[in-house]
Amino acid sequence: MGWEDFGQKIADAGKDVSDKVKKVADLVCLKQKLASEERKLQTAYMEIGKLYYEKHEGEIDEEYIPLFEDVAAAAAAAADYKEQISKARNQVQCPCCGAYQSADSAFCNKCGASLKSDDDVEDM
Ligand SMILES: [Zn+2]
């Protein structure tokens, strides 16, 4: 085997490796594209479900009832956790729009409503 053949072999091996790398890269890319589409599907399903829930609350087919109960229970639990988190962070909930913010701010930074309670106003 001459040096030229040897060089050609190395070049071929290098080509094999770069083909493999390209295939792996393609696969990674495909997997990312798949994951991205799957996320879009999840989001779309979620939006469909949310829309259906909002439109049909109280007038639903029986098969949906357990799911609606799950939503109501999860929403209540989520609201409870939000409140606990805001208390832990020393935040208050805006009485107007429901946004949470620092307990020492005087006005809601989302809707501008006064965050002072009626008691505070009477003290002033
Ligand atoms: Zn507000």
Side-chain angles (χ1 to χ4, degrees):
M1 189 172 77
W3 280 111
E4 280 178 22
D5 291 342
F6 187 65
Q8 191 55 49
K9 278 213 164 171
I10 288 175
D12 287 351
K15 192 172 168 295
D16 273 3
V17 169
S18 72
D19 279 356
K20 273 179 191 158
V21 168
K22 189 173 181 306
K23 273 181 190 161
V24 170
D26 284 350
L27 202 58
V28 168
C29 184
L30 278 173
K31 279 182 178 174
Q32 283 172 349
K33 284 178 178 170
L34 174 64
S36 162
E37 293 307 317
E38 280 177 341
R39 273 197 302 274
K40 283 183 200 168
L41 264 180
Q42 291 278 333
T43 307
Y45 281 141
M46 204 179 69
E47 288 300 321
I48 291 168
K50 197 175 159 202
L51 203 64
Y52 185 90
Y53 177 83
E54 286 167 359
K55 286 199 170 181
H56 298 274
E57 201 177 0
E59 40 151 326
I60 46 169
D61 295 337
E62 264 185 28
E63 55 190 315
Y64 288 99
I65 289 175
L67 290 172
F68 272 54
E69 285 171 351
D70 285 351
V71 170
D80 190 46
Y81 289 136
K82 266 190 190 171
E83 203 182 319
Q84 287 183 42
I85 289 168
S86 71
K87 272 183 187 160
R89 288 176 170 170
N90 193 29
Q91 289 181 322
V92 292
Q93 190 175 17
C94 171
C96 184
C97 72
Y100 286 94
Q101 43 235 302
S102 162
D104 48 333
S105 33
F107 298 97
C108 173
N109 52 28
K110 195 177 172 196
C111 74
S114 171
L115 295 177
K116 298 280 177 196
S117 71
D118 290 344
D119 294 343
D120 290 343
V121 173
E122 279 169 18
D123 290 344
M124 282 165 70

